[in-house]
Amino acid sequence: MSTRMNVQELEPKAYEVLFAMERYLANTDVSYALRELIKIRVSQINKCAYCLEMHTKDARKAGETEQRIYALSAWEESPLFSDEERAVLKFTEEVTHISKEGVREETFQSVKKYFSDNQVAQLIVAIGQINFWNRIAVTTRMQHKHV
């Protein structure tokens, strides 16, 4: 499988905006560890191999365990995630699958138990951002360099 095109080369100004959003997200109240869990889970759902490779490496560098990374696709069945993380992961899935049933009120209220309105807004932006990256990577068949 070969890469179809390089959006960054074709539309560098769009990438400037995407990278600016990443800088914004890095300065939000949502922890780096939680943002990486979101990125991995969304990338699993969207079947984005490029982003999965990148963000599992980033998560491990930040101290995430292999066991939790492996269990992330089955987080509902795993005892390895806190109630706060479970609320975020459910929210992440519903936002990512927005066309199915939207975001249920129960899910939204569950996230609000742990996060302020501003932090919930930041979560929405973080989830939307990785979904956007996934759409670029999957559509263009982005490939990591083999190590």
Side-chain angles (χ1 to χ4, degrees):
M1 185 166 59
S2 61
T3 302
R4 290 176 168 155
M5 66 172 51
N6 186 320
V7 174
Q8 185 174 10
E9 287 177 4
L10 294 166
E11 292 295 331
K13 289 186 189 271
Y15 262 64
E16 288 176 22
V17 173
L18 292 169
F19 289 136
M21 182 66 80
E22 291 298 327
R23 288 188 298 276
Y24 156 77
L25 288 167
N27 291 299
T28 63
D29 296 330
V30 179
S31 73
Y32 180 81
L34 191 55
R35 288 194 322 271
E36 287 305 313
L37 286 180
I38 290 167
K39 289 174 182 179
I40 295 167
R41 185 63 192 122
V42 170
S43 298
Q44 288 172 334
I45 292 166
N46 291 327
K47 300 179 182 180
C48 183
Y50 182 90
C51 292
L52 280 167
E53 184 170 341
M54 177 190 306
H55 295 296
T56 55
K57 283 180 184 176
D58 291 347
R60 284 192 301 272
K61 283 182 199 170
E64 189 57 77
T65 66
E66 293 288 327
Q67 189 178 22
R68 280 172 42 100
I69 291 171
Y70 299 149
L72 189 54
S73 65
W75 64 268
E76 290 175 301
E77 302 296 324
S78 174
L80 300 175
F81 300 95
S82 69
D83 290 342
E84 177 182 304
E85 290 168 329
R86 291 173 178 286
V88 170
L89 290 168
K90 183 68 173 165
F91 189 60
T92 296
E93 290 184 1
E94 290 185 14
V95 171
T96 299
H97 292 296
I98 199 86
S99 67
K100 287 186 178 179
E101 296 180 33
V103 175
R104 295 177 314 128
E105 187 63 26
E106 177 184 335
T107 302
F108 191 79
Q109 293 305 321
S110 180
V111 169
K112 286 194 55 144
K113 280 194 264 185
Y114 302 99
F115 298 94
S116 69
D117 286 348
N118 283 85
Q119 291 168 321
V120 173
Q122 294 165 3
L123 287 169
I124 294 166
V125 173
I127 296 164
Q129 176 77 352
I130 188 59
N131 269 285
F132 193 84
W133 281 121
N134 285 175
R135 278 147 180 76
I136 292 171
V138 172
T139 301
T140 64
R141 295 183 177 160
M142 285 175 67
Q143 306 260 327
H144 263 285
K145 291 178 177 54
H146 299 289
V147 183

